[in-house]
Amino acid sequence: LTMSSATSTASLPSGLNVLTTFPDVLFIPEIIFGGLVWILVASSRVQLPMLQGWVMFVSVFCFITSTTLLCLYICGVHGGSSSWITLVSGCDNCLLCCCCTPESLYHINQAIKVADGVFFPLQVFAFVATLLYVIHKVGSLLRWKSS
């Protein structure tokens, strides 16, 4: 992973180079773990539908956002623009607002507690996905600050 190419606006990655720069390389595990959370929540029986609905919204929103941003990076839509860094930083803010506010963490925790038979894997995957979003956000903020 090359940190120097990720911090310069003139050399924002495009094409498959996205998979070799930090924090953009985190898109792939974000998509994988976000998808696993989505699948486990959808396949579990949660006694409180409102909790399941919120966790499904968060996991689907994060999955779609990460997938869309990865596709846009690979297509080179950014054109090396510094406004692209601001856009990605804003998207990361939305992802973190969904995942890491106290209310969201409470709802996710309650849904995981009452899920039938998938408690431990769901808890692990949700933690890893949230951790990846946080790391990606920090990397994006560092890149935004240096742009």
Side-chain angles (χ1 to χ4, degrees), residues 21-90:
T21 58
F22 182 81
D24 308 313
V25 72
L26 296 176
F27 280 128
I28 298 298
E30 284 174 13
I31 292 168
I32 292 169
F33 284 100
L36 288 170
V37 171
W38 179 11
I39 290 167
L40 287 173
V41 170
S43 66
S44 64
R45 190 173 141 238
V46 177
Q47 296 167 351
L48 301 170
M50 195 66 159
L51 296 178
Q52 186 171 16
W54 176 252
V55 176
M56 282 299 294
F57 167 76
V58 169
S59 59
V60 170
F61 176 74
C62 292
F63 181 85
I64 289 172
T65 303
S66 293
T67 304
T68 302
L69 286 173
L70 176 63
C71 291
L72 291 173
Y73 260 106
I74 288 175
C75 292
V77 172
H78 56 75
S81 170
S82 62
S83 62
W84 179 260
I85 295 172
T86 304
L87 172 71
V88 172
S89 183

Side-chain angles (χ1 to χ4, degrees), residues 5-24:
S5 65
T7 58
S8 170
T9 58
S11 60
L12 280 173
S14 61
L16 294 178
N17 289 335
V18 172
L19 304 177
T20 62
T21 58
F22 182 81
D24 308 313

